Amino acid sequence: MAALALFCSSAFAAGNTYNLSCIATGNWNSAGVRTSSNYQIGFSTELPNEQADYFEFDLTPAKGKTITGANMLIIGSTDYSINSYWANPDNGNPSHIQFKVRSAAQCNPAYPITLAQMTTGQNSTITYTNMSDFNRNTDLGYRWVADGLHTGDRFDCFHYESVGIGEGGKKVGPWLQNECNAGGDWCMVTYSGYDLNQAGQRPTENYIWGGTSFTSAIQLQIITSN
């Protein structure tokens, strides 16, 4: 009877969850310089150029599936300096000093970035801009963090694509869905949604994930309906 119940349960179960391990990580900065095996975002006095990250995953297991949700588990670090002020963060945390992490697909096809350009290129401010300019690569989701460690937090990267309209009424996607349809290796990116400090000035430092190194424990979770 137990075996029969198990069979029936699996036979009628709908959808799948794919937990994809990270293959590679790296940074692009606003000076067009790429570094590999790290993933700091934001800016610091040590790294004065604005930083954005890429995380490479093989989407083949979810190829052709209809995505209903996606998020990233990103391993944090104690090396951070959060100083941006947000009047109305919508995560229930009463603190106005938080870091807004924007998560996006590899690129908006209107501003294309190939996998090779992202993971092996160098000296390209265009690559940095195409991956991290909100008007070129509108985020698919975001998460606020009040510290750099944020153990167990998952960063939404399907919120806007799932409804098709992002912040400010911008059309978003279905970029991640299209990448899954193609299968193979693609990058997710994260970049800072920084605000000013309470005095209305750009903070001297505002970054998270400093001093990090690549780990395959970074995970892209894709949830599908089929």
Side-chain angles (χ1 to χ4, degrees), residues 72 74 101-105 137-143 155-157 188-191:
M72 279 193 291
I74 303 174
V101 179
R102 297 186 183 275
S103 305
N137 200 19
T138 308
D139 62 64
L140 305 182
Y142 62 89
R143 186 174 182 88
F155 294 82
D156 175 36
C157 47
M188 298 297 293
V189 304
T190 59
Y191 57 95

Side-chain angles (χ1 to χ4, degrees), residues 173-226:
W175 303 333
L176 182 57
Q177 180 65 67
N178 289 343
E179 291 173 1
C180 269
N181 289 345
D185 287 8
W186 293 83
C187 289
M188 298 297 293
V189 304
T190 59
Y191 57 95
S192 168
Y194 85 93
D195 201 359
L196 305 178
N197 63 22
Q198 201 158 0
Q201 303 166 331
R202 180 179 175 131
T204 302
E205 290 197 320
N206 196 53
Y207 71 90
I208 59 174
W209 306 333
T212 52
S213 58
F214 166 74
T215 169
S216 59
I218 297 169
Q219 182 187 89
L220 174 61
Q221 183 177 84
I222 293 179
I223 303 162
T224 68
S225 62
N226 57 342

